[in-house]
Amino acid sequence: MAKTTLLLACPKCGSESPYDVWQSINASKEPHIRKVLLEGNINIFECPKCGTKSFIPTSLLYHDPDRQIIAQYYPPESLKEKNFFHQFDSEGRISLPLSKKQKENMPEYLNNIHITFSMQEFIFYIKFREALFFNKYQKN
Ligand SMILES: [Zn+2]
């Protein structure tokens, strides 16, 4: 489930409208959403009535299997939740709920999820990794 349609209330005028909130993006399957993200427009709700824009603080996983990029954004508010920490090991790696067999078949880079609490950093990191990939494999 990559996105959920939620009925959101505008923080300014209070009018409710449906909005697609993205929780995970697969850059191969959803290249148009990758573009929306890199332009800084992901999960920004724009009220159709008054035009007020507001950022929806939700966690967002980014996976680009072609360039082997995986990153996870968490809203900083997550740090205030006790349950938030349960999903990490002591070195801050996300422990994926996978079987031994699934782990054996998993590509190595998936063990190295880049975690960030800033959407700006999230976007810069993806751009950085894309540029690195481009310089390594596409230059001639
Ligand atoms: Zn509004």
Side-chain angles (χ1 to χ4, degrees):
M1 185 189 57
K3 66 178 173 184
T4 315
T5 307
L6 297 177
L7 197 61
L8 297 177
C10 169
K12 199 175 179 190
C13 75
S15 95
E16 290 186 331
S17 12
Y19 183 73
D20 287 341
V21 178
W22 288 85
Q23 273 121 359
S24 69
I25 299 168
N26 184 311
S28 305
K29 290 181 191 155
E30 293 135 352
H32 57 295
I33 299 301
R34 169 191 161 272
K35 207 166 168 262
V36 172
L37 169 71
L38 294 181
E39 285 165 354
N41 293 322
I42 201 84
N43 292 343
I44 293 177
F45 168 69
E46 186 173 357
C47 174
K49 233 177 188 173
C50 74
T52 298
K53 286 184 181 181
S54 46
F55 176 65
I56 312 303
T58 184
S59 62
L60 180 61
L61 176 73
Y62 184 84
H63 185 202
D64 183 341
D66 300 329
R67 301 182 183 97
Q68 302 204 333
I69 301 169
I70 188 157
Q72 171 77 55
Y73 163 78
Y74 293 109
E77 293 80 11
S78 310
L79 295 167
K80 293 174 191 156
E81 296 163 21
K82 269 186 193 160
N83 291 341
F84 173 70
F85 298 91
H86 293 169
Q87 57 190 314
F88 303 99
D89 69 10
S90 56
E91 277 145 10
R93 280 185 299 246
I94 300 173
S95 5
L96 299 166
L98 301 173
S99 70
K100 210 175 167 191
K101 195 165 183 194
Q102 282 175 310
K103 277 182 186 165
E104 279 165 11
N105 296 327
M106 196 174 78
E108 181 56 32
Y109 77 95
L110 293 178
N111 284 312
N112 209 348
I113 304 175
H114 182 83
I115 294 167
T116 170
F117 295 89
S118 143
M119 186 50 78
Q120 199 180 23
E121 152 69 11
F122 190 60
I123 294 166
F124 274 129
Y125 179 75
I126 293 162
K127 288 182 176 172
F128 159 65
R129 291 291 308 275
E130 287 190 359
L132 201 59
F133 181 86
F134 185 82
N135 286 332
K136 242 180 173 171
Y137 301 106
Q138 321 252 308
K139 71 179 168 195
N140 40 33

